[in-house]
Amino acid sequence: MLAEKALELVRELERSIDGSLPPYNEDRVRQVLEEMRVLYEQNQKDVSATVAGESGLFSGVQVRHAALERNKRCLLAYLYNRIEQIKKMRWEFGSVLPTEVKYNLCEQEMQWFGRYNKLLANYMMSIGGSGGLDLTQDMKPPKTLYVEVRCLANHGEFETQDGNVIVLKKNSQHFLLRSECEHLIRQGILEHIVH
Amino acid sequence: MSTLEDLKDESGEEVETMTAAEVLRKLEEAWLNEKFAEDLLEAKTDLVECMMEQISEMEDNISRAKKGDFKVSIHRLEIDRIRYVLSSYLRSRLLKIEKFATHLLEEEKVRKDDEPSKLSPEEFTFAKDYDKSLESHLRNLALRHMPAHIQSLDPKQIAVRPNLDKYVFLRVNEDTEGVLVEEETLDTGEEIVDMKRGDQHIMRYRPVAPLVASGAVSLI
């Protein structure tokens, strides 16, 4: 059926588990573009035939044109929603993506990610005149100043604001300033212990 | 080290007419409105800048305090809270700016000089660059490989627009009479509501949008 492949792309994204991004399906995108090219050429042929005097081709042209539009729409929706997901991950993981995520992005998406990073950084720097404000911090309303955390991975040394150096070793527990370790919790290096 | 009250009064001198507590209250109101409104509201750049100043001042005060002073941790928590409100406010704006970038830029284009802009200059730059980057991304990956006659992207067609007909909860701050809630249609007559201070309503966002902007009602 016409435009089936394009719809399959959208479905693929829709079916992916929340918060994850399936690999960029370059093959299928190419297939869709190929289908569009064929449709277009056929339309060109029929249009020139109609101009030359043949009749009865018009409805075929219209169906193909609708299929072209649908393909375009599905393809753009696919790309746009991937971008939305990539943006979400920027807020979650910070400016450097984990390798397994990077692997699923195509070249241009990586470039876009870099561009978005820069945009965001520029904007956050310009807030309030001097120094800016890191909007990726303070994602949840603070309840307490300090939180108890457990290390899930070896992270090495970590210097706290007051100059103490602690070693974040796997399975060790610490009592840290929430504002300091928030991004480590989001990266999955620390786990917030709730009693 | 002064107490919390002193600290606020001290830094309040910086502001011409408002005390720090008032700025915070205003910011919190702007934050809630921004959170619950469908479209982007006017940027409260002054409040943000003022609050940022307050924070750095409070931080200065704290760093001068004795180590282990009990009051320090209370102040720190207060700063954390303010910073959360501030970040959350700017974050929800940014989210809307990204979502409605094309639409906002279009609005900006037809805006007359005497009308205030919804975007602060920094936000405008961000929206412009974001919109551009998104378009070039779509163009690079898909559009330029398509047949020539459907390569175009009509901003009017693709722009995501806020749904102004969504229902919102609101509280009335100032008595307002004769708010036209429903235009007259063939089936029903027009509906007009008088709002009294302290009342709470649930209604469509569109008719009350100007009241939210002027501060006569707050979204809750």
Side-chain angles (χ1 to χ4, degrees), chain B residues 60-213:
Chain B
D60 276 0
N61 279 344
I62 283 179
S63 63
R64 268 185 270 120
K66 280 204 305 283
K67 218 180 179 185
D69 193 339
F70 170 66
K71 276 177 282 183
V72 169
S73 60
I74 296 181
H75 284 304
R76 277 239 177 91
L77 190 57
E78 181 70 10
I79 290 183
D80 270 8
R81 286 192 177 125
I82 296 173
R83 212 171 33 214
Y84 167 73
V85 172
L86 205 58
S87 317
S88 176
Y89 169 66
L90 292 169
R91 263 202 300 273
S92 39
R93 286 185 66 81
L94 209 58
L95 220 64
K96 285 186 204 173
I97 293 172
E98 287 177 358
K99 197 165 165 198
F100 306 131
T102 321
H103 168 70
L104 286 169
L105 290 173
E106 249 175 75
E107 263 187 358
E108 196 70 8
K109 240 185 250 161
V110 296
R111 179 173 66 93
K112 295 183 191 68
D113 283 339
D114 51 341
E115 280 175 55
S117 168
K118 279 182 181 173
L119 299 163
S120 71
E122 295 86 20
E123 287 169 338
F124 179 64
T125 325
F126 179 83
K128 218 168 49 189
D129 293 343
Y130 177 81
D131 194 50
K132 226 191 293 164
S133 78
L134 197 61
E135 213 221 296
S136 74
H137 177 72
L138 294 178
R139 192 158 293 283
N140 277 333
L141 269 181
L143 288 171
R144 72 192 167 99
H145 302 294
M146 290 181 185
H149 74 295
I150 57 169
Q151 277 190 5
S152 65
L153 265 189
D154 182 6
K156 282 204 175 54
Q157 230 176 15
I158 59 156
V160 184
R161 288 186 175 74
N163 173 18
L164 296 181
D165 289 324
K166 211 175 132 187
Y167 280 76
V168 290
F169 290 80
L170 57 93
R171 189 180 39 234
V172 183
N173 297 334
E174 291 163 27
D175 288 350
T176 316
E177 278 177 11
V179 179
L180 182 66
V181 180
E182 202 75 63
E183 295 264 357
E184 200 172 341
T185 58
L186 285 175
D187 308 326
T188 55
E190 56 181 10
E191 192 186 339
I192 291 178
V193 174
D194 291 337
M195 295 194 193
K196 285 215 178 56
R197 195 187 142 89
D199 282 1
Q200 297 192 358
H201 295 271
I202 309 175
M203 54 171 74
R204 280 187 309 132
Y205 177 68
R206 196 188 295 271
V208 290
L211 298 176
V212 174

Side-chain angles (χ1 to χ4, degrees), chain A residues 24 33 36 40 72 79 83 87 112 115-116 119 123 126 128 132 135 137-141 145 178, chain B residues 49 52 73 76 80 83-84 91 94 98 122-123 129-130 133 136-138 141 145 147 149-150 152:
Chain A
Y24 181 70
L33 288 169
M36 291 178 81
Y40 178 66
K72 175 182 174 185
L79 293 175
I83 287 287
K87 256 167 31 185
W112 190 85
R115 225 170 136 179
Y116 183 63
L119 270 179
Y123 173 68
S126 65
L135 294 183
Q137 284 266 359
D138 301 290
M139 292 297 266
K140 286 197 192 110
L145 201 52
R178 190 195 48 77
Chain B
E49 269 169 25
M52 295 276 289
S73 60
R76 277 239 177 91
D80 270 8
R83 212 171 33 214
Y84 167 73
R91 263 202 300 273
L94 209 58
E98 287 177 358
E122 295 86 20
E123 287 169 338
D129 293 343
Y130 177 81
S133 78
S136 74
H137 177 72
L138 294 178
L141 269 181
H145 302 294
H149 74 295
I150 57 169
S152 65

Side-chain angles (χ1 to χ4, degrees), chain B residues 9-24:
Chain B
D9 286 342
E10 237 172 65
S11 41
E13 290 166 10
E14 291 258 323
V15 197
E16 286 152 4
T17 49
M18 267 192 271
T19 64
E22 241 176 285
V23 176
L24 183 59

Side-chain angles (χ1 to χ4, degrees), chain A residues 6 19 25 27 31 38 52 66 74 76 92 116 119 145 151 158 184:
Chain A
N25 200 335
D27 277 347
Q31 281 168 11
V38 173
C74 289
L76 291 183
E92 224 167 287
Y116 183 63
L119 270 179
L145 201 52
C151 289
F158 178 77
L184 290 175

